[in-house]
Every structure is written in C-alpha cells, then in structure tokens.
C-alpha cells in the first residue's frame, strides 16, 4: 500500500528539519557567542560564521523548495537554469565535489526537475570523500531521460535508499532519510517509467530515470 499523502508530507518535513538543524543551530550558537564576546577580532570571526550559516540555510531552503515544493511558477515546466542554480547552491560549501552540467534543454517538466534534483541530492551524499557529479537530462522521442553520474574514491549508497529508488515502499515503511528516494520512484512510476542504478566500474555509480514526457 502506497504511503499516504499526509504521511509522506510528514516524512519530507522530518527530512527538511534534519538537514536544516545544523546551519540553523550554528546561527543560534553564533548569536549566543556574540552576546558575550567583547573582543573585536573574535566578534568579526563570529559575524563571518553567522554569514556562512545564513547562506547555507538559504541555499538549502531554495533547493528544497524546488526539489520538494511548488517552486518554479505555475506552468508545467521549469527553467533548467533554476535547477542548476539550486544544485550549485547546495554544493557551494562542499569543495570536494565538482559539478558537471549536461542538460541542454532550456526547460523540463516539473516532475523531471524534481527527479533530477532529488537524484542529485542522493548522489551528492553518496560521494563521502568527494569527486565529480555529472547531471544530464533530455527529452527524446516522447521519453524523458535523467542521468546523474558520480565518480569518487569512495561511494556509499545506503541499501535502504537503493531499494527505495528502484522498488518504492519497503516492508518496513519509508523513513525520512529515504523520502527523496521515494519521491523519485513515485514520480517516475506515475509517468510510466522506472529508476535504474548502474555501476559500470569501480568508484563509478550512475542513477538514472526514464519516463514518459506527457
């Protein structure tokens, strides 16, 4: 039985809270330090940390708004430059990951953009020691093809996420950690497609989704 809309919304909210806890907590800690600190140099350093935490929080919110929410306007498609900017913001503080963008279309359907963003999120977290993350997407003869390829010295894709991506809800239910994977699987399945995971070589992992463009 599929996850109910209310339960799935709760899962996404739990995921958002988990990912935002660190930068927002850093903001709170910085403000507490600032209230007690009188040294000019230390205050300047605290302001730098506050700026970094605020930027990280804003970047994550912009990404999640497009990946999970209703961002992108009221049309059926979303400008791919908006998706690229969201990914760049998500990765800006991770100097160990190099982004390659190979999406030639100026716009893609909202569902395809969400699949692309969520696969990118999952892939970036699998690059535990950094590496390259390449994103591609195109419409070909009525089919939408989304591909995210990662290469790095150590790639770890949690078995729960791997199974949820390809199979959907597991016997034990969907956890907040697997919410993005469940969203990708559901969007692809509803459009008559599926998600595939390929490992063509050591330290290489390809996440792909193919589904109907209509």
């Amino acid at each position: 039985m599929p996850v109910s809309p209310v339960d799935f919304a709760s899962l996404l909210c739990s995921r958002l809270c988990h990912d935002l806890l660190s930068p927002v907590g850093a903001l709170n800690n910085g403000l507490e330090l600032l209230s007690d600190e009188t040294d000019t140099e230390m205050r300047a350093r605290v302001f730098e940390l506050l700026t970094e935490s605020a930027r990280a929080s804003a970047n994550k919110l912009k990404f999640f708004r497009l990946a999970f929410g209703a961002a992108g306007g009221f049309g059926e498609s979303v400008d791919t430059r908006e998706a690229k900017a969201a990914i760049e913001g998500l990765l800006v503080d991770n100097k160990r990951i190099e982004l390659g963008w190979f999406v030639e279309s100026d716009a893609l359907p909202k569902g395809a953009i969400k699949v692309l963003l969520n696969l990118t999120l999952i892939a970036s977290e699998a690059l535990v020691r950094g590496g390259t993350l390449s994103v591609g997407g195109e419409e070909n003869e009525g089919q939408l093809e989304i591909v995210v390829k990662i290469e790095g010295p150590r790639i770890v894709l949690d078995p729960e996420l791997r199974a949820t991506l390809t199979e959907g809800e597991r016997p034990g239910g969907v956890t907040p950690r697997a919410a993005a994977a469940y969203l990708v699987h559901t969007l692809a399945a509803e459009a008559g497609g599926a998600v595939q995971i390929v490992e063509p070589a050591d330290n290489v992992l390809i996440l792909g989704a193919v589904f109907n463009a209509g």
Side-chain angles (χ1 to χ4, degrees):
M1 181 178 179
V3 178
S4 73
V6 173
D7 287 342
F8 185 53
S10 298
L11 291 170
L12 287 180
C13 286
S14 295
R15 169 73 202 236
L16 290 173
C17 291
H18 175 273
D19 284 16
L20 290 171
L21 183 60
S22 179
V24 173
L27 279 172
N28 183 66
N29 293 336
L31 289 172
E32 289 180 354
L33 286 173
L34 199 61
S35 64
D36 298 327
E37 187 58 63
T38 57
D39 182 79
T40 302
E41 292 186 4
M42 285 299 297
R43 287 179 65 86
R45 178 55 181 156
V46 172
F47 272 118
E48 290 179 9
L49 294 174
L50 286 172
T51 300
E52 292 172 4
S53 297
R55 185 185 69 245
S57 299
N59 285 336
K60 286 190 174 185
L61 282 170
K62 289 176 183 177
F63 181 90
F64 291 142
R65 181 169 174 262
L66 192 59
F68 298 148
F74 295 101
E76 293 300 318
S77 63
V78 176
D79 192 323
T80 53
R81 292 174 298 181
E82 189 174 351
K84 182 184 179 184
I87 294 172
E88 289 173 336
L90 182 73
L91 300 177
V92 67
D93 292 322
N94 194 336
K95 307 302 182 185
R96 298 182 301 173
I97 296 181
E98 179 182 352
L99 175 65
W101 184 257
F102 303 97
V103 180
E104 297 184 357
S105 302
D106 294 331
L108 288 173
K110 281 186 176 180
I113 291 292
K114 290 186 184 300
V115 168
L116 184 151
L117 291 174
N118 281 281
L119 282 181
T120 300
L121 175 64
I122 293 167
S124 68
E125 293 176 344
L127 277 174
V128 294
R129 293 182 181 172
T132 60
L133 190 158
S134 302
V135 182
E138 65 177 359
E139 185 173 344
N140 184 21
E141 297 182 352
Q143 292 282 306
L144 281 167
E145 301 175 0
I146 304 296
V147 176
V148 177
K149 177 183 177 182
I150 54 176
E151 299 181 66
R154 186 160 186 258
I155 296 173
V156 179
L157 180 62
D158 186 282
E160 177 191 11
L161 302 185
R162 184 187 293 266
T164 303
L165 278 170
T166 56
E167 302 172 26
E169 185 178 3
R170 309 290 294 150
V174 180
T175 65
R177 175 177 172 78
Y182 183 74
L183 178 59
V184 170
H185 174 85
T186 301
L187 288 171
E190 288 180 347
V195 180
Q196 295 182 333
I197 300 174
V198 181
E199 298 173 82
D202 290 341
N203 303 323
V204 177
L205 180 68
I206 300 174
L207 306 175
V210 180
F211 46 96
N212 296 327

